[in-house]
Amino acid sequence: MKKSVCILFALLIVFSFCSCNGKKIKDPEVDKSGKLTVLTDVTPQVTQDEKDLFLQAQKNYTEKSFEPIAILGTQVVAGENIAYFCKGLNEEHPYYFVEVYKDLENNVSIQKTAPFIVGDYLTNHDIDVKALAGGYTVNSDLKSTELPPDVKKGFDNFAGKTKGTIYTPIALVACQGEASETNYSVLCTVREKDDKNSTRLAVVTICCDENGNSNVDSNCEFLISAVFDGDTNSNKK
């Protein structure tokens, strides 16, 4: 009897844990008018220390307000530049890239900001891995985010065909629907297998139809340094 009670109690604990922590990911509602819709239901993956550092830098910055989502990369200078991907809080744009500078005495401040305008990243483009030298080192430790079922199916189909190259989804940032098809844009890290030093960033747009078929609409790689220089077109060949 006691053994049965213990087993039942254990099952209740497991069920309770799963119910509290298991968030069911749903496909986003899509406007079928062809309008690009920015999606902001993203899961932050900054540590508490990374968040605290950002908040410290934001204390003396009054122009805009942000919520840090992820550290995209770092750059060694006389100290360190840290590139954050952020939500804009009550700002003109939903997302921003924010550069935080940490000096040699660990003082921090926001140096540059740039809006992340998804529409600028919907064309095919890749970069020469050699172009990464001397610039930002992209964070190769970012974790894969859970995608909604339709998006995951299309993304996995795409990623499964890219032999030798690993794509890790960081955030589902936009959708665009028209008739029987929907495009989903996903911010990703990209790297060659067994070479973390080749890690870079991309926005991959997956086209999914109502029959469950999917293909890549565009794959746009970009450099963090070009974003903060205000010239995303400088990445393009």
Side-chain angles (χ1 to χ4, degrees), residues 4-226:
S4 299
V5 171
C6 290
I7 292 174
L8 179 60
F9 183 67
L11 289 173
L12 287 172
I13 292 175
V14 171
F15 178 77
S16 175
F17 179 82
C18 292
S19 299
C20 294
N21 294 279
K23 180 182 177 182
K24 187 175 181 180
I25 306 296
K26 297 181 179 179
D27 288 307
E29 294 184 8
V30 178
D31 180 350
K32 289 293 187 177
S33 68
K35 177 184 177 182
L36 182 69
T37 302
V38 178
L39 305 171
T40 57
D41 186 18
V42 297
T43 302
Q45 51 173 301
V46 285
T47 66
Q48 189 60 51
D49 286 345
E50 292 167 345
K51 182 177 180 180
D52 289 345
L53 186 145
F54 185 89
L55 294 177
Q56 182 183 349
Q58 192 168 230
K59 281 183 179 178
N60 296 319
Y61 185 82
T62 58
E63 293 181 32
K64 296 180 179 67
S65 182
F66 309 103
E67 176 190 349
I69 301 300
I71 288 181
L72 297 182
T74 56
Q75 180 184 37
V76 177
V77 287
E80 184 181 41
N81 287 328
I82 306 167
Y84 281 84
F85 181 60
C86 300
K87 281 186 183 180
L89 300 179
N90 301 314
E91 301 298 340
E92 180 182 1
H93 300 284
Y95 291 113
Y96 285 82
F97 299 105
V98 179
E99 182 179 79
V100 171
Y101 170 61
K102 182 169 69 171
D103 68 19
L104 297 175
E105 297 178 351
N106 291 324
N107 299 306
V108 292
S109 59
I110 291 178
Q111 295 294 301
K112 298 178 182 178
T113 69
F116 173 56
I117 302 173
V118 182
D120 292 344
Y121 298 84
L122 301 183
T123 56
N124 285 315
H125 172 244
D126 56 14
I127 59 175
D128 187 342
V129 175
K130 294 179 181 177
L132 300 174
Y136 266 88
T137 299
V138 175
N139 185 358
S140 61
D141 294 324
L142 287 168
K143 308 300 182 185
S144 176
T145 192
E146 187 174 357
L147 297 173
D150 283 355
V151 189
K152 177 175 171 52
K153 182 177 179 181
F155 189 89
D156 289 349
N157 182 49
F158 155 70
K161 295 177 181 177
T162 57
K163 295 181 179 179
T165 304
I166 298 173
Y167 286 80
T168 302
I170 305 306
L172 175 61
V173 292
C175 65
Q176 186 173 24
E178 191 170 336
S180 61
E181 295 182 341
T182 302
N183 287 346
Y184 298 99
S185 297
V186 184
L187 177 64
C188 307
T189 58
V190 189
R191 70 175 177 86
E192 305 312 311
K193 190 176 181 180
D194 301 324
D195 184 7
K196 282 192 174 183
N197 293 327
S198 67
T199 305
R200 56 248 192 224
L201 294 168
V203 175
V204 175
T205 299
I206 308 293
C207 179
C208 302
D209 67 23
E210 59 185 10
N211 296 317
N213 301 311
S214 61
N215 57 73
V216 179
D217 188 72
S218 63
N219 180 8
C220 182
E221 296 186 17
F222 63 96
L223 294 172
I224 297 174
S225 55

